[in-house]
Amino acid sequence: MAFASGVGTYLRGLLSEVSDDPSPHFSFAVLRRSRDSLQISLPTRTVDSPIYSLSEQWAVPRAARQLSADLLHSPHYNMPAFYASKTVVTVHDLIHLIFPEFLPSLIAKAYASFFFFRVLPKARAIITVSEHTKSDLIERLGIAGSRITVTPLGLSTNFRPLSRIEAAPALSALGLTNGYFLFVGNLKQFKNVEFLVGSYLRMAASDTACPPLVMVGRNFIPGFDRTLKASPKIRWLGEVAPSLLPALYSQALAFVFPSLYEGFGIPPLEAMGCGTPVICSNRASLPEVVGEAAILIDPTKNDDLIDAMRQIAADSALRSRLTAAGLKRAAQFSWKATAAKTLAVYEDCLQ
């Protein structure tokens, strides 16, 4: 949980609300790895097993039994296979089923299939983060909709518009000046980052005044780092500390996110919370998150993305409208609401 991506962001947001405003009906304990940094007041127990490992499958239930837990909430689909009757599980997406070609091995594919088809249906309740993922669970796994509760993710109050003066120290530390296109997320094939870079380079080749493209995230695509380093108008920062993200978002000309599939899509929400105009894919859950507060593009058509970037770079009135709409949209998402819906699931399971 060192960086603010995926399940780590979900856990931090959810646990911060549970920790700050404990429910009178429950007592909580958090199973954690020793290296995880958690700023919460809840009691914790260390379980140092690697994610997706065999040891995780016995260590987590063992710790839950030692705590005499009435209910175990697994924040990812790798829930304990032999503890399912007392488990609530959160499914963020079905990426490992929908894009099995991106898994590292046949063993990883078999692991994902086993847990989705054999273990997940045994959970007492299933939580997911978007209506789109709920539909995927119903259509692909045959799980009854009545067993699935949608709890949209929230937005930390850290993500707010920062002025140039407020953002200057962070940008200076990263060697940036304001006015760039920004991408934040792990660099993976389904995030469509190769499409993004190809479209941007095509745009930059015909426009010498094209703003630079700044990319934040860990690379998972073999050889893609060489492409990024060889492109002079692209700045790849790798992973950056979460504390720097509000400044990065706030001083971007626009946030660009042409992902092919997202269970929710936290980065566009963070960008809107910082007042940054958003261009994003019209696929999966992303329209559900951004509503009418972003420019939606077909993530398979280079011209769509290039036209959107050119339009947003040239039209300050459009940027202002998207900023206002994005701030209004982002205000509808809170971790407090996520926590309240999650606690309601716990109550139903324990009745």
Side-chain angles (χ1 to χ4, degrees), residues 41-118:
S41 59
L42 299 173
T44 65
R45 174 163 294 209
T46 300
V47 179
D48 276 326
S49 294
I51 189 171
Y52 306 129
S53 68
L54 289 176
S55 64
E56 175 187 54
Q57 286 297 306
W58 64 263
V60 171
R62 180 171 177 265
R65 285 192 292 267
Q66 289 173 343
L67 291 166
S68 300
D70 295 310
L71 195 67
L72 175 65
H73 182 178
S74 178
H76 196 33
Y77 75 83
N78 56 322
M79 56 185 277
F82 303 104
Y83 198 79
S85 64
K86 289 186 176 182
T87 299
V88 172
V89 60
T90 298
V91 179
H92 297 264
D93 54 61
L94 270 63
I95 287 171
H96 289 173
L97 284 185
I98 296 171
F99 297 100
E101 64 271 25
F102 299 147
L103 290 170
S105 67
L106 290 175
I107 293 175
K109 294 177 184 178
Y111 180 99
S113 293
F114 172 74
F115 277 87
F116 275 120
F117 288 103
R118 300 285 185 175

Side-chain angles (χ1 to χ4, degrees), residues 241-258:
S243 60
L244 300 179
L245 288 177
L248 275 169
Y249 283 124
S250 293
Q251 295 307 304
L253 185 72
F255 179 73
V256 188
F257 200 70

Side-chain angles (χ1 to χ4, degrees), residues 110-183:
Y111 180 99
S113 293
F114 172 74
F115 277 87
F116 275 120
F117 288 103
R118 300 285 185 175
V119 180
L120 181 64
K122 298 177 183 178
R124 187 162 293 185
I126 297 170
I127 292 172
T128 191
V129 296
S130 66
E131 293 292 342
H132 183 271
T133 301
K134 178 178 179 178
S135 295
D136 278 348
L137 287 166
I138 295 169
E139 294 170 9
R140 293 176 181 269
L141 301 183
I143 295 173
S146 59
R147 297 187 58 218
I148 305 168
T149 301
V150 177
T151 64
L153 303 185
L155 182 66
S156 167
T157 55
N158 294 333
F159 291 96
R160 61 177 181 84
L162 299 182
S163 68
R164 287 191 185 184
I165 294 175
E166 290 176 301
L171 264 60
S172 177
L174 295 169
L176 297 175
T177 56
N178 64 297
Y180 42 83
F181 293 115
L182 176 66
F183 171 90

Side-chain angles (χ1 to χ4, degrees), residues 225-256:
D225 52 338
R226 293 192 293 272
T227 300
L228 297 177
K229 292 173 182 177
S231 305
K233 296 203 72 171
I234 297 177
R235 284 288 312 278
W236 175 43
L237 303 179
E239 290 181 309
V240 304
S243 60
L244 300 179
L245 288 177
L248 275 169
Y249 283 124
S250 293
Q251 295 307 304
L253 185 72
F255 179 73
V256 188

Side-chain angles (χ1 to χ4, degrees), residues 245-299:
L245 288 177
L248 275 169
Y249 283 124
S250 293
Q251 295 307 304
L253 185 72
F255 179 73
V256 188
F257 200 70
S259 182
L260 296 172
Y261 183 94
E262 295 291 325
F264 181 80
I266 292 174
L269 178 59
E270 292 175 343
M272 291 190 298
C274 292
T276 308
V278 171
I279 301 168
C280 78
S281 165
N282 62 4
R283 299 287 180 88
S285 65
L286 290 170
E288 186 180 334
V289 173
V290 301
E292 298 181 357
I295 297 177
L296 296 176
I297 56 101
D298 184 331

Side-chain angles (χ1 to χ4, degrees), residues 181-187 191 193 196 214-216 255-257:
F181 293 115
L182 176 66
F183 171 90
V184 175
N186 286 325
L187 308 186
K191 297 282 187 181
V193 289
L196 168 60
V214 175
M215 302 188 72
V216 174
F255 179 73
V256 188
F257 200 70

